[in-house]
Amino acid sequence: MSMASEQNPLIVFTPSGKRGRFPAGTPVLQAARSLGVDIDSVCGGRAICGRCQINIGEGEFAKHGITSSATHVNGVTQVEERYDRIRGLPAGRRLSCQTKIEGDLVVDVPPESQVHKQVVRKEADTRVIALDPATTLYYIEVEEPDMHKPSSDLERVYIALKEQWGIDHLSTDLNVLADLQKVLRKGEWKITCAVFSRNAGGGNKLAAIWPGFHDKLFGLAVDVGSTTVAMHLTNLSTGEVAASGGLMNPQIRFGEDLMSRVSYVMMNPGGEAEMTGAIREALQQLAESVATQAGISVTDILEVVLVGNPVMHHLFLGIDPVELGGAPFALADGMALTFPAREMGFKLNAGASAYILPCIAGHVGADAAAVALSEAPHESDEIMLCVDVGTNAEIILGSKQRLLACSSPTGPAFEGAQISCGQRAAPGAIERIRINPETLEPRYKVIGSDKWSDEDGFEDEIKATGVTGICGSGIIEAIAEMYLAGIINQDGLMDGTFAARSPRIEQYKRTFNYIIRQPADESNQPLIRVTQNDVRAIQMAKAALYAGVRLLMDKLEINEPRKIRLAGAFGSHIDMKYAMILGLIPDCDLARVQSAGNAAGTGARIALLNKAARDEVEHVVRRIEKIETAVEPMFQQHFVEAMAIPHKTANFVNLKKVQELPPIKTIAAADDEGGSRRRRRG
Amino acid sequence: MSMASEQNPLIVFTPSGKRGRFPAGTPVLQAARSLGVDIDSVCGGRAICGRCQINIGEGEFAKHGITSSATHVNGVTQVEERYDRIRGLPAGRRLSCQTKIEGDLVVDVPPESQVHKQVVRKEADTRVIALDPATTLYYIEVEEPDMHKPSSDLERVYIALKEQWGIDHLSTDLNVLADLQKVLRKGEWKITCAVFSRNAGGGNKLAAIWPGFHDKLFGLAVDVGSTTVAMHLTNLSTGEVAASGGLMNPQIRFGEDLMSRVSYVMMNPGGEAEMTGAIREALQQLAESVATQAGISVTDILEVVLVGNPVMHHLFLGIDPVELGGAPFALADGMALTFPAREMGFKLNAGASAYILPCIAGHVGADAAAVALSEAPHESDEIMLCVDVGTNAEIILGSKQRLLACSSPTGPAFEGAQISCGQRAAPGAIERIRINPETLEPRYKVIGSDKWSDEDGFEDEIKATGVTGICGSGIIEAIAEMYLAGIINQDGLMDGTFAARSPRIEQYKRTFNYIIRQPADESNQPLIRVTQNDVRAIQMAKAALYAGVRLLMDKLEINEPRKIRLAGAFGSHIDMKYAMILGLIPDCDLARVQSAGNAAGTGARIALLNKAARDEVEHVVRRIEKIETAVEPMFQQHFVEAMAIPHKTANFVNLKKVQELPPIKTIAAADDEGGSRRRRRG
């Protein structure tokens, strides 16, 4: 009797719709495998892992052409009862490896039982990532050594992986070899293997082994910023973030921004090794901290994916970044790298591998590549602009058809540096501001309090921190509001005649300042104001950003991208309206300008969860046309023209819409109510 | 005009006989390449490396169908004159990259200018190894960075390797990345690359880089023995051994023989790490010593090939060897391994790779695999026996058709251990001995002197060392000579009645000793004698060896191999006649019994010089049928029967021939005259 005989029971899997006939007594898992239905299993059908859970369908029989509505499976087995007792089985769930077909049957495979589960990346986004990490766990039973047919323990492990899981072309390294015999004997010839396999055609690496059944497999997605390092410990079996952590980049003691760190190396030969040591130590410390937070051992971490701007990229790889400090800004390497994580000083599982996303160009790093992976302009039908703002703005513009990238030297003004009262986004910093165009009086919000400065109880709430300065989003809003109130003109110059209208306009030598907060005399808090130089610094920064975008728009011969994504902490905090009013970004339907959140971190997580995404980002980066602003004759002209607010060439439909809206104060208040939930601190 | 036009000059290369027509002015190197003539070049035709030297043929024109006998090439160029001035060019030699075809021409490519030079392995052997190491040098000129088309330095190196040498699918590691930018700039965009490529289909690894032209490329062939470690520093460009060194295995302090080292780990958990540390330290020390001896830097060493018995193999890899100490004698891994040499603690070039030959079975190690690679029984039409004698004898028997291997526990008696006056082969040890069957008087030779003990001046020559004991080859000869003189019978028992014939037969309790040397009273030198227990120890050892061989002969249903190769120091020192008289080896035409010298070391060198040999040995080892003597019921019976001298089943044509020869004393003397040149200390 053939497997497909008409007498055999029919089994239908949902949601795939795959169906087939199997002899009575066939385990559902086996039927699923032979039909190519995606059901997860680490233990290979031994009722240990509990990954292969199914629901026996009800009421769907007729729909699938099954006439009987009886539940044609065996009863719950002892091993399932045992599994339920020890690890818990949701009501109605069966383990498909223990469930046997006894008649026509509809079986539903819930999403969490699928190997290639879809990991939804963002609530508001349709893009989904299928879980398919480079490292996977396999439980195997290994033959014991036999003097009548001598073979090594490793050979028998390879045979088991081949026979029980179809995994071939295996290699391993000395760390696994050193543990192998003890692990096999401790597990009584039953072990769990972590296998790393990068490409379908390439070989597979036996990366780690544990005695018996082991189902903890984690990875780190790491975004190494010049200022902060962010790390997400991710469960590679579920795709969930198990713990997140961040710390200040300890390289800050060698220089606040990128170029001062490069200078440090120039002045102190060998200084790159100190900085490499500092960041690697911090990364290990952070890894240990997130592992502790999630209650796992660092030896359960088998993958690390790192992104960063080119200088960070070179420094964590142990490469001297001095070449990036001057023309022609040559990267040592920009291609993606895969190597044992221990070579970067990580003390995780000794078999953990590191993957570094490719850099795009000398100033457009692996972080920008990760933004591209996250925002997927290469899959967009419409032209899309992705901007990641740091000391340099990394800019990607294009669509499916054609992609361009460049970087523009915005400097650190957007991060609050080089601003007289500027500071990082931290409690005490002004982050929102509105100026009454008639009275010129400001109202503002401070990080650490939900109240506006003109609300009751504001002063109480900020007592602990005081008001210490203005952060990046605060200075953008301050200058945009000063422009809307007429305090500064289109050229960014403060109108001295306003000094007569309000004591908030203060003359200083030949220029004027706008005073936001005059603290009470007895307090030790600083005077918070915006100077003419502050306005200039922001104008320079925004002009640089816009000039870079404009250059890429010229190449594509467009005036307006159809979508804009602003990545990074800056992108998460600023109000898009003000960005457009100041001319940071080109004209675009405001509804289509969005923060991409920590898109670089998201890109790193995608590369961690899906190995095909690594091929994707490498391919995309090769496709991107790299534009070096320093050699583009139009860049300087765009820069000069973009100094104006919003800029000389501005004649934008969407900007006009913004300006024609009811008085900004009102909108802002309304928006803020609904917006505080939407906007999160990155 | 096509390249092959009849009007174009004809060029004929010898010895290949390849010929073709090329336009006048074509460089000879270019013509050679397009005809597939094997001419070496590291610099790619830039007159730097001097590898492409040729002779312009004379007097061979007619033979090749060339009528004119004029020398149709351009004159010696300035760059050749410069090369000759700086590095020297043998008389008559030209650089083929500088020599241009001007008319019909015969060009001779000397052997040293061929890429795949044949490296003759042994004078007396026809087997030759073509030089084709896994790592090769390539000189390249790299494009400088250009802001108009940004690309990383590494990308441009890869492009140069692809365009200038056709090398593709490249990867590299962090060590090269860390140096890349400085090396490129120091070399002014001209660098030499070491590229590792294991398999034709696999990828290539950029292993190391040097500024400018660099032509030093070396490898280490290492045989890690239980007692001694031998290392050959080999020039991978010429195949020549540049320096050799050896030292005592420092693990000896943990136990003299293999099993006592395994016991040390059993008694001292973690003791394997101490032993791993000790051997790795010694290997590094030895590498530095041979590098100094050859006047090179250790950073010129890019390859290491290691062999050793299974316990040594596990210990240098950092694997606990306890499983090898008891049944079922399971190896952790027996498959060949390739990994970065730094992972074994080597501080050579950071890009150096290590290759470990496969082990055959739990007691038949990578050293035996190397012997197989060296002696090539798998290529033999006739059945061949290869034996490597150490604490265990590793035995391979077979031919092209079928190969078997086993190991037999001979113990350390053959190395002079467990023998009352036994010692290692070192100055002062008796290595040769003859006993006059009538007088029972011995004459002997001592390591450190060329004189026999009955020659004038012997005592003077040995004054410095004294006579301190008997080494392995000495004890074999002593017992065989005692047997031939009738002092011991076929069962190995001393005949007490001989005590009446000579004071050299001394009674001790119920047994007898044979006194070889009675030192003068006033000297502090020891009495040298052979005891009944010594005879027993050698009988046990030789019975074990023979029983293993017999077992394999049973499987092949033969009584006599057609060739025997005895590998290792033991095989180099013993006299084959005595080996046959005692029954260490089976019956075989004595002319076909040969020492294989340090065959394990030779095998390691072959794997170092020729990457295809790595595939070969891996394939051969998979083919070999592994026999575990411990589970073979016949082994014990063969062992018991082989205790007799030569053994119970002996009825050998060849042995008879040996015994029918003129009195042994005469042969020995005659043989010794011619033999001292042939035999070398291993």
Side-chain angles (χ1 to χ4, degrees):
Chain A
M1 192 169 72
S2 98
M3 287 283 282
S5 157
E6 280 302 314
Q7 272 103 323
N8 280 340
L10 174 68
I11 183 164
V12 180
F13 288 93
T14 61
S16 67
K18 288 182 178 166
R19 57 176 63 205
R21 292 186 177 274
F22 294 87
T26 305
V28 170
L29 180 62
Q30 188 184 317
R33 294 223 156 150
S34 76
L35 291 173
V37 173
D38 183 28
I39 297 192
D40 199 0
S41 173
V42 170
C43 70
R46 297 180 181 92
I48 302 173
C49 70
R51 296 275 180 87
C52 69
Q53 297 177 21
I54 48 165
N55 295 311
I56 302 304
E58 278 175 30
E60 288 201 274
F61 300 91
K63 185 173 141 196
H64 294 288
I66 296 176
T67 48
S68 155
S69 67
T71 302
H72 286 143
V73 291
N74 61 333
V76 172
T77 62
Q78 283 191 330
V79 286
E80 283 172 293
E81 277 169 6
R82 186 171 170 275
Y83 181 88
D84 187 25
R85 215 162 48 240
I86 298 171
R87 305 187 49 182
L89 203 53
R93 285 281 174 85
R94 295 288 306 267
L95 297 181
S96 64
C97 61
Q98 300 304 309
T99 309
K100 287 179 180 159
I101 301 169
E102 292 188 346
D104 290 356
L105 195 61
V106 175
V107 170
D108 181 53
V109 183
E112 61 272 29
S113 295
Q114 295 168 11
V115 182
H116 301 303
K117 292 177 252 299
Q118 291 191 324
V119 186
V120 179
R121 188 166 60 77
K122 285 176 179 176
E123 304 81 26
D125 205 314
T126 51
R127 196 180 192 205
V128 288
I129 301 299
L131 187 63
D132 189 16
T135 303
T136 324
L137 295 179
Y138 300 95
Y139 175 79
I140 53 170
E141 296 182 359
V142 181
E143 226 181 300
E144 295 189 32
D146 177 352
M147 287 202 284
H148 291 90
K149 32 178 188 171
S151 65
S152 69
D153 285 346
L154 184 64
E155 268 174 285
R156 276 174 277 105
V157 168
Y158 284 3
I159 289 168
L161 280 166
K162 168 79 176 149
E163 289 181 353
Q164 294 164 38
W165 293 98
I167 299 169
D168 216 335
H169 302 294
L170 281 152
S171 65
T172 191
D173 68 19
L174 298 189
N175 300 299
V176 169
L177 281 182
D179 290 343
L180 183 66
Q181 298 198 305
K182 286 190 181 72
V183 167
L184 279 169
R185 283 152 187 83
K186 191 172 172 202
E188 292 174 334
W189 306 97
K190 298 173 184 66
I191 63 171
T192 304
C193 300
V195 176
F196 173 84
S197 86
R198 173 67 163 88
N199 297 310
N204 297 300
K205 182 147 201 171
L206 176 58
I209 46 172
W210 295 267
F213 179 71
H214 183 94
D215 73 347
K216 288 186 184 146
L217 181 70
F218 290 81
L220 301 172
V222 192
D223 179 10
V224 180
S226 319
T227 309
T228 56
V229 181
M231 187 178 278
H232 299 287
L233 177 72
T234 307
N235 185 326
L236 297 184
S237 306
T238 65
E240 285 157 15
V241 173
S244 293
L247 43 73
M248 296 292 283
N249 188 328
Q251 292 171 348
I252 282 180
R253 70 173 185 269
F254 302 100
E256 184 85 5
D257 58 47
L258 290 178
M259 283 310 121
S260 54
R261 285 182 221 170
V262 173
S263 305
Y264 179 81
V265 179
M266 291 172 175
M267 313 289 277
N268 303 277
E272 76 279 10
E274 292 176 70
M275 284 196 271
T276 296
I279 184 65
R280 289 182 174 179
E281 206 176 290
L283 288 172
Q284 175 64 23
Q285 186 189 325
L286 199 47
E288 287 169 13
S289 143
V290 289
T292 304
Q293 210 179 306
I296 64 154
S297 158
V298 287
T299 60
D300 294 328
I301 300 174
L302 265 293
E303 292 265 356
V304 186
V305 172
L306 292 123
V307 302
N309 63 52
V311 173
M312 290 304 106
H313 169 275
H314 277 40
L315 282 173
F316 66 63
L317 290 174
I319 304 169
D320 184 337
V322 290
E323 292 297 330
L324 298 171
F329 311 111
L331 288 162
D333 175 40
M335 292 174 282
L337 294 170
T338 302
F339 54 83
R342 62 181 183 273
E343 293 191 359
M344 244 186 76
F346 275 112
K347 288 177 205 75
L348 310 170
N349 190 299
S353 69
Y355 176 73
I356 317 294
L357 270 74
C359 290
I360 299 174
H363 283 138
V364 194
D367 48 355
V371 169
L373 183 59
S374 164
E375 303 309 308
H378 53 285
E379 289 189 352
S380 171
D381 292 313
E382 303 171 309
I383 290 181
M384 187 171 171
L385 171 67
C386 302
V387 179
D388 196 354
V389 176
T391 305
N392 288 303
E394 300 181 323
I395 304 164
I396 301 173
L397 181 73
S399 67
K400 228 173 232 188
Q401 258 68 47
R402 192 176 168 198
L403 277 178
L404 301 168
C406 74
S407 114
S408 199
T410 47
F414 286 150
E415 294 172 331
Q418 295 177 354
I419 300 295
S420 60
C421 296
Q423 70 158 88
R424 291 221 190 81
I430 291 175
E431 56 166 350
R432 301 260 165 270
I433 184 164
R434 303 289 177 268
I435 299 173
N436 184 315
E438 282 140 43
T439 63
L440 304 185
E441 280 303 296
R443 51 199 284 274
Y444 46 87
K445 284 182 72 175
V446 168
I447 298 178
S449 163
D450 279 336
K451 291 197 155 69
W452 283 89
S453 58
D454 55 358
E455 290 180 273
D456 282 347
F458 170 81
E459 291 294 335
D460 285 346
E461 284 208 0
I462 60 146
K463 200 169 274 170
T465 57
V467 178
T468 49
I470 315 176
C471 71
S473 62
I475 192 76
I476 298 285
E477 295 199 1
I479 293 171
E481 285 279 322
M482 285 163 71
Y483 170 68
L484 292 174
I487 301 170
I488 55 175
N489 66 12
Q490 212 192 345
D491 292 326
L493 286 172
M494 292 218 201
D495 187 341
T497 63
F498 274 53
R501 281 178 53 190
S502 164
R504 295 214 169 250
I505 311 295
E506 160 201 67
Q507 183 157 12
Y508 175 73
K509 295 186 180 163
R510 291 189 177 182
T511 65
F512 296 87
N513 302 327
Y514 175 70
I515 295 169
I516 296 176
R517 178 179 169 87
Q518 180 91 52
D521 283 347
E522 71 276 18
S523 82
N524 277 321
Q525 292 179 21
L527 179 76
I528 312 284
R529 60 186 157 199
V530 177
T531 69
Q532 182 67 60
N533 276 342
D534 296 341
V535 177
R536 274 276 168 273
I538 291 296
Q539 277 180 288
M540 305 266 283
K542 74 104 191 174
L545 172 55
Y546 184 78
V549 173
R550 181 72 252 169
L551 195 66
L552 299 191
M553 292 200 298
D554 288 355
K555 302 266 171 191
L556 289 185
E557 298 177 344
I558 60 161
N559 273 316
E560 181 187 330
R562 300 304 304 274
K563 286 190 273 187
I564 299 180
R565 292 283 181 280
L566 294 185
F570 177 80
S572 306
H573 293 156
I574 62 166
D575 187 313
M576 300 306 168
K577 274 193 314 295
Y578 292 105
M580 201 176 285
I581 288 166
L582 271 192
L584 262 75
I585 52 174
D587 193 38
C588 184
D589 178 355
L590 203 57
R592 312 201 80 207
V593 182
Q594 283 168 14
S595 160
N598 178 13
T602 304
R605 232 186 104 220
I606 292 173
L608 183 63
L609 293 175
N610 184 293
K611 62 186 173 191
R614 301 185 183 184
D615 299 328
E616 182 184 336
V617 69
E618 291 169 26
H619 180 75
V620 169
V621 165
R622 273 194 300 273
R623 266 189 58 198
I624 290 176
E625 296 166 49
K626 292 90 184 167
I627 309 296
E628 176 53 64
T629 52
V631 294
E632 289 288 335
M634 284 305 291
F635 181 78
Q636 201 53 35
Q637 187 180 331
H638 286 319
F639 177 80
V640 170
E641 286 178 1
M643 285 289 285
I645 299 171
H647 33 74
K648 281 278 186 329
T649 54
N651 181 22
F652 296 159
V653 181
N654 292 293
L655 178 61
K656 283 204 179 112
K657 276 191 214 148
V658 172
Q659 290 175 332
E660 282 161 10
L661 287 169
I664 203 97
K665 201 163 54 179
T666 322
I667 320 167
D671 179 81
D672 196 70
E673 281 161 31
S676 62
R677 276 197 309 282
R678 187 170 49 77
R679 266 179 260 117
R680 282 162 301 136
R681 182 131 294 114
Chain B
M1 192 169 74
S2 98
M3 287 283 283
S5 159
E6 279 302 314
Q7 271 104 322
N8 280 340
L10 174 68
I11 182 164
V12 180
F13 288 94
T14 61
S16 67
K18 288 181 178 166
R19 57 176 62 206
R21 291 186 177 275
F22 294 87
T26 305
V28 170
L29 180 61
Q30 189 185 317
R33 294 220 156 154
S34 76
L35 292 171
V37 173
D38 183 28
I39 298 191
D40 198 1
S41 173
V42 170
C43 70
R46 297 180 181 91
I48 302 172
C49 70
R51 294 275 181 87
C52 69
Q53 295 177 21
I54 48 164
N55 294 311
I56 302 304
E58 278 175 28
E60 289 199 273
F61 300 92
K63 186 172 140 195
H64 294 286
I66 296 176
T67 48
S68 156
S69 66
T71 302
H72 287 142
V73 291
N74 61 332
V76 172
T77 63
Q78 283 190 329
V79 285
E80 283 173 294
E81 276 168 8
R82 185 169 171 275
Y83 181 88
D84 186 26
R85 212 161 52 238
I86 297 170
R87 306 187 47 180
L89 204 52
R93 285 282 174 84
R94 298 286 308 266
L95 298 181
S96 63
C97 61
Q98 300 304 310
T99 309
K100 287 180 181 158
I101 301 169
E102 293 189 344
D104 291 354
L105 196 60
V106 175
V107 169
D108 182 52
V109 182
E112 61 271 29
S113 296
Q114 295 167 11
V115 182
H116 301 303
K117 291 177 252 298
Q118 291 191 323
V119 186
V120 179
R121 188 166 58 78
K122 285 177 179 177
E123 304 81 25
D125 206 315
T126 49
R127 197 180 191 205
V128 287
I129 302 299
L131 186 64
D132 189 16
T135 304
T136 324
L137 296 178
Y138 300 95
Y139 176 80
I140 53 171
E141 296 182 0
V142 181
E143 226 180 298
E144 295 189 32
D146 176 352
M147 288 201 284
H148 290 90
K149 33 176 187 171
S151 65
S152 69
D153 284 347
L154 185 64
E155 269 174 284
R156 276 174 276 105
V157 167
Y158 285 2
I159 289 168
L161 281 165
K162 167 81 177 149
E163 289 181 353
Q164 294 165 38
W165 293 99
I167 299 169
D168 216 334
H169 302 295
L170 280 153
S171 65
T172 192
D173 68 19
L174 298 188
N175 300 300
V176 168
L177 282 182
D179 290 343
L180 184 65
Q181 299 198 305
K182 286 191 180 71
V183 167
L184 279 169
R185 284 151 186 84
K186 190 173 172 198
E188 293 174 333
W189 307 97
K190 296 173 184 69
I191 64 170
T192 304
C193 299
V195 176
F196 172 83
S197 85
R198 171 68 162 86
N199 297 310
N204 297 300
K205 182 148 201 168
L206 176 58
I209 46 171
W210 295 267
F213 179 71
H214 183 93
D215 73 347
K216 287 185 185 147
L217 180 69
F218 290 82
L220 300 173
V222 191
D223 179 10
V224 181
S226 319
T227 310
T228 55
V229 181
M231 189 180 276
H232 300 287
L233 178 72
T234 307
N235 185 326
L236 297 183
S237 306
T238 65
E240 285 157 17
V241 173
S244 294
L247 43 72
M248 297 293 284
N249 188 327
Q251 293 171 348
I252 283 179
R253 71 174 184 268
F254 303 99
E256 184 84 5
D257 59 48
L258 289 178
M259 283 310 121
S260 54
R261 285 182 222 169
V262 174
S263 305
Y264 179 82
V265 179
M266 291 172 176
M267 313 289 277
N268 303 277
E272 76 278 10
E274 293 176 70
M275 284 196 272
T276 296
I279 184 65
R280 289 182 174 180
E281 206 176 290
L283 288 171
Q284 175 64 23
Q285 187 189 325
L286 198 47
E288 287 170 11
S289 143
V290 290
T292 305
Q293 209 178 309
I296 65 154
S297 157
V298 287
T299 59
D300 294 329
I301 301 174
L302 264 293
E303 292 265 357
V304 186
V305 172
L306 291 123
V307 302
N309 63 53
V311 174
M312 291 304 104
H313 170 274
H314 277 40
L315 283 172
F316 66 62
L317 288 174
I319 304 169
D320 184 337
V322 291
E323 291 298 331
L324 298 171
F329 311 111
L331 289 163
D333 175 40
M335 292 173 282
L337 294 169
T338 303
F339 54 84
R342 62 181 183 270
E343 294 192 358
M344 244 187 74
F346 275 112
K347 289 177 204 74
L348 309 170
N349 190 299
S353 69
Y355 176 74
I356 317 294
L357 269 73
C359 290
I360 298 173
H363 284 139
V364 194
D367 49 355
V371 170
L373 183 58
S374 165
E375 303 309 307
H378 54 284
E379 290 190 350
S380 171
D381 292 315
E382 304 171 310
I383 290 181
M384 187 171 171
L385 172 67
C386 302
V387 179
D388 196 353
V389 176
T391 305
N392 289 302
E394 300 182 322
I395 305 165
I396 300 172
L397 181 73
S399 66
K400 228 174 231 187
Q401 258 69 46
R402 192 176 167 197
L403 277 179
L404 301 168
C406 74
S407 114
S408 200
T410 46
F414 287 149
E415 293 173 332
Q418 296 178 352
I419 301 294
S420 60
C421 295
Q423 70 157 89
R424 291 220 189 82
I430 292 174
E431 55 165 350
R432 300 263 165 266
I433 183 164
R434 303 291 176 267
I435 298 174
N436 184 315
E438 281 142 45
T439 63
L440 305 186
E441 280 303 297
R443 51 200 285 273
Y444 45 86
K445 284 183 72 175
V446 167
I447 298 178
S449 163
D450 279 336
K451 290 198 155 68
W452 284 88
S453 59
D454 56 358
E455 289 180 272
D456 282 348
F458 170 79
E459 292 294 336
D460 285 347
E461 283 208 0
I462 60 147
K463 200 169 275 172
T465 59
V467 178
T468 49
I470 315 176
C471 72
S473 63
I475 192 76
I476 299 284
E477 294 198 1
I479 293 172
E481 284 279 322
M482 285 163 71
Y483 170 68
L484 291 174
I487 299 170
I488 55 175
N489 65 13
Q490 213 191 347
D491 292 325
L493 286 173
M494 291 219 202
D495 187 340
T497 63
F498 275 54
R501 281 177 54 189
S502 164
R504 294 212 169 253
I505 311 295
E506 160 202 65
Q507 183 157 13
Y508 175 72
K509 294 186 180 165
R510 291 188 178 184
T511 65
F512 296 87
N513 301 328
Y514 175 70
I515 296 168
I516 296 176
R517 179 178 168 88
Q518 180 89 52
D521 282 347
E522 70 277 16
S523 82
N524 275 323
Q525 292 180 21
L527 179 75
I528 311 284
R529 61 188 157 199
V530 177
T531 69
Q532 183 67 60
N533 276 343
D534 296 341
V535 177
R536 275 277 168 273
I538 290 296
Q539 277 180 287
M540 306 265 283
K542 75 105 190 175
L545 173 55
Y546 185 78
V549 173
R550 181 71 253 171
L551 196 66
L552 299 191
M553 291 200 299
D554 289 355
K555 302 264 172 194
L556 289 185
E557 298 178 344
I558 61 159
N559 273 315
E560 183 187 329
R562 299 303 306 272
K563 286 191 271 188
I564 299 180
R565 292 283 181 280
L566 295 184
F570 177 80
S572 305
H573 293 157
I574 64 165
D575 187 313
M576 300 305 168
K577 273 193 313 295
Y578 291 106
M580 199 176 285
I581 288 166
L582 272 191
L584 263 74
I585 52 173
D587 194 39
C588 185
D589 178 355
L590 203 56
R592 313 201 79 208
V593 182
Q594 283 169 14
S595 159
N598 177 14
T602 304
R605 232 186 103 220
I606 291 173
L608 184 63
L609 293 175
N610 184 294
K611 62 186 173 191
R614 301 184 183 184
D615 299 328
E616 182 185 336
V617 68
E618 291 169 26
H619 180 75
V620 169
V621 165
R622 274 195 299 273
R623 265 190 59 199
I624 290 176
E625 296 167 49
K626 291 90 183 166
I627 309 295
E628 175 53 63
T629 53
V631 293
E632 289 288 336
M634 285 305 292
F635 181 77
Q636 202 53 34
Q637 187 180 331
H638 286 321
F639 177 78
V640 170
E641 285 178 1
M643 284 289 286
I645 298 172
H647 33 74
K648 280 276 186 329
T649 54
N651 182 24
F652 295 157
V653 181
N654 292 295
L655 178 60
K656 283 206 179 112
K657 275 192 216 148
V658 172
Q659 289 175 332
E660 281 161 11
L661 288 169
I664 203 98
K665 200 163 57 180
T666 323
I667 320 165
D671 178 83
D672 197 70
E673 282 160 32
S676 60
R677 274 196 310 281
R678 187 170 48 79
R679 265 179 260 118
R680 281 160 304 137
R681 182 133 292 116

